[in-house]
Amino acid sequence: MQPDNPYSAPQVELLDRRGVPPLPGWSARQLRVLGWLALVAVLANALVVGLTLAGAWLDEREAQRLQSYIGWLSLMLVLLGCYLLLRFKAFAEARFAARHLAAPIWSLLLVTVSLELADRAFGEQLFTALDWPTLGYMLLLALTGACTAWLGIRLLKVACPYPALKVMAWLDIVGGVMLASVILALLAVLPLLGAGVALMRVFFSAADELPEQVD
């Protein structure tokens, strides 16, 4: 048919019909890799929790060896979590024109790394007495929860997000508030793991919108 034929089907790109803005520098493959990394982070964090609980049933020598493995795994997970947060920030700004995410994300990265360094520096000494290292650790824990809840509140204000992004926002708020209370810090693991699953879903949903090609 001729292009000016009024009876011809409209020649419009599927991506345009779905109202998806262009994402320069992003590809479906990159987003899927981020989604799988988010899933790895969730499963590995759940493994850390399980190993920590299992350490209570081991003798002192085996528990110390296990704690050493957990420490290195936790460090790698902190670095992975920081990477995923930074990539999520870049994606949210490109896909949703999200604003005001820099402050809560960078604050969360700072206190998370500080918390990990304090844990590695003092170890089990943090829980032997109520001294200044313990109080400082509890303060960092509360700040981590506050920054997590702050990020969740910012995500609720993002226009036209995927449903998974709303779920992630609410789970960040709930988990952040529980973590900030310190008393409910152990239970905060559950909503925060759920937030990680929601982050995985956000990346996979974005990958489904893009054509299968390398930028």
Side-chain angles (χ1 to χ4, degrees):
M1 295 183 181
Q2 296 298 324
D4 58 351
N5 190 330
Y7 300 103
S8 63
Q11 303 297 315
V12 181
E13 293 289 338
L14 179 60
L15 197 60
D16 291 335
R17 285 205 311 265
R18 295 174 64 178
V20 179
L23 290 175
W26 292 90
S27 69
R29 180 178 299 176
Q30 291 173 333
L31 290 165
R32 287 198 177 94
V33 169
L34 290 173
W36 286 116
L37 287 176
L39 178 60
V40 168
V42 170
L43 295 177
N45 276 296
L47 176 62
V48 167
V49 174
L51 291 176
T52 301
L53 295 176
W57 300 93
L58 302 176
D59 58 45
E60 183 176 355
R61 183 178 179 182
E62 292 178 341
Q64 289 179 350
R65 182 182 302 176
L66 180 61
Q67 191 62 38
S68 177
Y69 295 145
I70 292 175
W72 285 108
L73 181 57
S74 297
L75 178 60
M76 289 186 290
L77 287 174
V78 166
L79 296 177
L80 176 58
C82 291
Y83 172 75
L84 288 172
L85 269 180
L86 291 175
R87 296 305 291 156
F88 169 73
K89 173 182 173 294
F91 165 74
E93 291 172 344
R95 174 63 180 85
F96 306 117
R99 302 175 59 190
H100 308 300
L101 294 182
I105 285 180
W106 282 109
S107 298
L108 181 57
L109 294 182
L110 178 62
V111 295
T112 300
V113 172
S114 300
L115 191 68
E116 180 64 21
L117 292 177
D119 187 42
R120 295 186 66 82
F122 298 102
E124 295 181 357
Q125 298 178 4
L126 291 170
F127 308 102
T128 57
L130 192 60
D131 50 12
W132 71 265
T134 302
L135 293 176
Y137 186 85
M138 293 172 63
L139 177 60
L140 286 174
L141 197 64
L143 288 175
T144 302
C147 291
T148 303
W150 183 15
L151 175 59
I153 292 172
R154 288 298 189 190
L155 291 178
L156 285 179
K157 298 180 179 180
V158 175
C160 301
Y162 307 119
L165 190 55
K166 288 291 187 183
V167 174
M168 175 183 170
W170 280 111
L171 289 174
D172 276 342
I173 293 172
V174 173
V177 170
M178 295 173 69
L179 197 60
S181 71
V182 179
I183 299 175
L184 300 176
L186 291 178
L187 295 178
V189 171
L190 297 177
L192 293 179
L193 287 177
V197 174
L199 175 62
M200 174 200 70
R201 185 56 193 160
V202 168
F203 285 133
F204 282 143
S205 297
D208 292 340
E209 289 183 335
L210 296 181
E212 294 292 339
Q213 62 182 21
V214 180
D215 293 335

